[in-house]
Each structure stands twice: as C-alpha cells, then as structure tokens.
Amino acid sequence: MEGGTRPPRGRAPADAPAGAPRTAERDDPARGGRGGFPERVSHHHIEAPRPAQPTERPENGTLWIYGLHAVSAALANPRRQLRRLLLTQEAEAALAERLPKPWRLPVERVEDRARFNTFLPEDAVHQGAALLVHNLPTARLDAALAASDGPVLLLDQVTDPRNVGAILRSAAAFGAAAVVMQDRHAPPETAALARAASGALETVPVVREVNLSRVIQTLQAKGFWVMGLAGDATRTLAEAAPRDRRVALVLGAEDSGLRRLQRENCDELVRLPISSAMESLNVSAAATVALYEIARAKPPVTEP
C-alpha cells in the first residue's frame, strides 16, 4: 500500500477484489486475535470485585444533621427516624453527657475527622458528630395548637434556611406553638437549617401550608389576634399585643416584607421601635424581639 497506510479495520482494502472477506478486529494479531478467535484470558488476571463500601451520600428524603446540639436533639426525638450515627471518641463522650445511653442506633467510630469533610459542607462546625436521618413528617396545625397555648409564627416567603433555623430557635426559647411556612418559597429541611436551629427543629412543630392567607383566617376563627410586622405601621407591637387572647405574628421576607394579601388579612399591622438609623432588622432578629414582647404582654400565671 502506498505510504504504508493500512485500511480501516473491519473493511476490505480498497484494491481488494469484489467479494473479499472483511477483516474483523478479532482476526488482527495486533489486537490479540488468532484465527478469528479471541485469545484465552487467564483467570488470575481478572481482578476480583471489591466489596461495596458504605456511602455517606444522603438518599432522597434523608439528610445529615451535625453538631452536638442538633444531633442530641434528634436522637431524643421519637418522631425522628434515624439511619447512621458517626462520632469521634471525644464527641461520643460529650454526647453521652447530654443524652445518656442507650441510644437508638449503634455508633460508627470516626478516627480521622477529615472523613466528615467528604460528606458535610466545607465550613460545617460538626464537633465530631453527624447523624443521618429521615426528614420529619410535616406537623398538623390543629394538633400543634392543641398541644401548646403559645403564639404562632407565620413566615411569608422567608427563604434563607439559616434565618428559618434561627427563628425556630427563638420560637423554642419563647414557647411558640408552631412555625407555619408555605409549601413553596420556603426552604426544605436541610443540614444548614437544622444547624441554625440548634435542636429546635426537633421540638417546634413546622407546619407547611399552601395558602398563608387561609391560615390567617383559620387562626382568626379560632380566636387568635393576628398581627403583621411592618415598618410603616402606626402602633408598636408592645402597644398592640393583647393580653386576653392568643397571638399569631406574620413576618415577611427582608427585602420585600409582607405581601399584599397577608397585610390585608391581618387584624393589625405593628412595628418594632428601632432607631431611624436602620431601616429594618434581620427577620430572625425581628422574630426574637417580637416573641419577647409577646411573652411580656402575656398575663402572669397565678398559683391556685
């Protein structure tokens, strides 16, 4: 052949007579073929399959909770389904001080803390503790109201999981009955949310509803006084908070505030008396101050 160029494998040479057989790759000695049959392969050259290793990647409907507060609260929550518990020796000892054994699942000991970096966020403050769990079932509003006489928080398109987690932490601190969010325009249950909540995700019912305006009307029918937090309101929350009925508080997103339907459905719009030097507070900080004011307005419990 001119220039020593070989024809493409699997095709007859261009100058071959018609009907010449095609050359198959398996007939090419350079490919290990011999007489149209593949070479025999010795079994000792075949690598045995490696045993499957447990993966730290969460499946659908599961997430990793990390940090001693969040992990201990999840272990203590009977509604939380647990999958795996990874602890360093130091974290296991610290966790046992918070929550005495036996726990509901065995411990997988982690000798090298770098292992946590393979499945947790790079900036995760895990304290040597990580727990793989199933998502919590959504709480029912009527059950939450029956279980507590505390205030109810409604979040109108608050989407930052760290803000929602911080709000849950304040809700737990001030005895809120529930935190209500929308099915959409609200963060799902994530590790970042659980970490910011510092265990409160396990104790404060999280109710997800399609329509917040309808929830406001439901609460009003049950005797709640529903107040919306708005910077342009005339009265402060301390002035408006009732002492003779239960309170629900609606908080909007930091950038846009309450939407029109929520504003119109509230019984009253109220504000926090902050300095004119600042336009607004972070929504989680505003929730904390508001819950404190609501707790102050509640009449003290008298002993019989």
Side-chain angles (χ1 to χ4, degrees):
M1 293 177 221
E2 293 185 15
T5 304
R6 294 185 56 175
R9 293 190 178 98
R11 297 182 183 177
D15 55 351
R22 294 175 179 267
T23 303
E25 288 185 354
R26 66 180 180 180
D27 297 325
D28 184 358
R31 303 284 291 184
R34 184 175 56 191
F37 295 94
E39 287 281 3
R40 293 175 181 266
V41 180
S42 300
H43 288 292
H44 68 271
H45 289 305
I46 300 176
E47 185 176 352
R50 297 179 180 179
Q53 298 296 320
T55 177
E56 271 86 30
R57 292 183 179 275
E59 304 168 2
N60 288 337
T62 64
L63 71 151
W64 282 103
I65 288 177
Y66 55 87
L68 291 173
H69 280 294
V71 168
S72 61
L75 285 172
N77 182 5
R79 297 193 310 128
R80 178 72 82 173
Q81 294 184 48
L82 313 177
R83 294 287 299 275
R84 296 175 64 189
L85 176 61
L86 276 63
L87 298 173
T88 62
Q89 184 176 355
E90 297 81 4
E92 184 174 357
L95 193 60
E97 291 182 3
R98 296 168 180 265
L99 186 68
K101 294 182 179 181
W103 298 326
R104 291 188 285 147
L105 75 172
V107 173
E108 297 178 45
R109 176 63 58 79
V110 177
E111 303 297 341
D112 183 4
R113 292 173 69 94
R115 180 178 176 185
F116 291 103
N117 299 333
T118 64
F119 61 95
L120 294 181
E122 187 177 348
D123 59 347
V125 184
H126 52 74
Q127 301 173 292
L131 178 66
L132 183 63
V133 299
H134 287 275
N135 294 102
L136 284 170
T138 300
R140 291 174 48 235
L141 182 60
D142 54 354
L145 297 181
S148 169
D149 63 351
V152 174
L153 291 180
L154 292 85
L155 307 184
D156 185 18
Q157 295 195 344
V158 178
T159 57
D160 188 311
R162 290 177 176 83
N163 276 336
V164 173
I167 290 170
L168 284 168
R169 188 172 182 177
S170 296
F174 290 101
V179 172
V180 183
M181 297 187 290
Q182 294 162 288
D183 275 338
R184 301 175 62 187
H185 305 295
E189 187 178 338
T190 63
L193 192 156
R195 174 64 180 172
S198 192
L201 184 60
E202 312 298 328
T203 59
V204 178
V206 176
V207 180
R208 294 184 183 268
E209 298 282 355
V210 174
N211 191 315
L212 279 189
S213 295
R214 234 175 259 151
V215 177
I216 291 173
Q217 294 165 4
T218 298
L219 292 171
Q220 289 167 333
K222 293 179 178 293
F224 278 77
W225 186 253
V226 181
M227 299 183 291
L229 209 57
D232 59 348
T234 304
R235 292 212 295 169
T236 66
L237 190 152
E239 294 169 339
R243 298 173 62 88
D244 59 345
R245 66 178 77 181
R246 295 182 70 175
V247 171
L249 184 68
V250 191
L251 298 103
E254 249 182 275
D255 52 351
S256 56
L258 295 178
R259 291 177 297 160
R260 180 182 60 83
L261 273 178
Q262 274 59 267
R263 289 176 66 99
E264 291 176 355
N265 278 285
C266 287
D267 292 304
E268 186 172 4
L269 297 179
V270 295
R271 61 181 173 83
L272 297 176
I274 64 174
S275 167
S276 59
M278 291 300 296
E279 183 180 353
S280 64
L281 288 174
N282 171 278
V283 64
S284 61
T288 303
V289 176
L291 285 167
Y292 171 73
E293 291 288 5
I294 292 170
R296 281 208 315 162
K298 190 175 180 179
V301 177
T302 56
E303 295 293 334

